[in-house]
Amino acid sequence: MTRTLRELRTSDWPEVYREVWHPVVGAGGTYLYPRDTGEAEARARWCLPPPAQVWVVVEQGQVAATAQLRPNQPGAGSHVANAAFMVAPSRRGAGLGRWTAERVLAEARSSGYEAMQFNAVLAGNTAALALWRSLGFAVVGRVPDGYRDGEVSDDLLVLHRPL
């Protein structure tokens, strides 16, 4: 199988939104974005300007995942990276999330970041937590009841690891 991580191209966005972003966000339980986020707003939130970097993972000629890397905070916090990852629901369970995360972690190191922090991982997202823990992240904080989506609420976890 051919799998490639490359910079997002303008022409990729419709497929990213249709196959990855909208199905992931629309299902709830992983991101804080409103489930009904339209394509234009999603693009504005995901396709940030530099110094952010946005990639797609292409398998067999189709977009299978997307990732975003950026400073966690501007200025005095810019040495700590923040990243976000989305895998198309149809591609889950094949190691694509780990493969993408390993490459983005390497890119963060080579870009000069000293650590990576995730600000809002849902406590109930056991698959994501297992992945991040296996890659050396530790839970360093908890926001009680920080996620509310209709009748569903969950704590948000802050994860961190040095690079």
Side-chain angles (χ1 to χ4, degrees):
M1 174 185 317
T2 303
R3 184 181 282 172
T4 307
L5 178 73
R6 65 165 169 78
E7 189 174 323
L8 177 101
R9 299 174 186 150
T10 302
S11 60
D12 293 325
W13 178 252
E15 186 178 4
V16 168
Y17 181 77
R18 182 181 65 250
E19 301 298 326
V20 183
W21 209 96
H22 182 67
V24 169
V25 172
T30 55
Y31 280 89
L32 298 169
Y33 303 119
R35 288 183 184 212
D36 61 351
T37 301
E39 187 173 353
E41 183 180 349
R43 183 178 183 158
R45 291 178 180 262
W46 195 254
C47 301
L48 299 175
Q53 298 168 276
V54 182
W55 297 283
V56 292
V57 177
V58 178
E59 285 185 335
Q60 310 301 91
Q62 296 180 319
V63 171
T66 185
Q68 179 194 81
L69 176 68
R70 64 190 179 281
N72 190 53
Q73 297 292 331
S78 63
H79 63 288
V80 177
N82 183 276
F85 303 84
M86 292 187 191
V87 174
S90 64
R91 306 288 181 123
R92 290 185 184 149
L96 182 56
R98 174 175 298 281
W99 185 90
T100 305
E102 289 170 346
R103 277 143 189 84
V104 171
L105 283 164
E107 181 63 35
R109 272 189 299 277
S110 70
S111 294
Y113 291 107
E114 297 174 18
M116 185 174 287
Q117 178 175 318
F118 298 131
N119 299 319
V121 178
L122 275 70
N125 190 345
T126 56
L129 285 171
L131 172 62
W132 301 132
R133 285 182 170 132
S134 75
L135 291 171
F137 284 84
V139 175
V140 297
R142 178 180 290 265
V143 180
D145 197 31
Y147 174 85
R148 286 192 185 164
D149 185 12
E151 299 296 316
V152 177
S153 66
D154 200 352
D155 291 354
L156 294 176
L157 304 178
V158 178
L159 279 65
H160 179 272
R161 71 159 275 187
L163 295 174

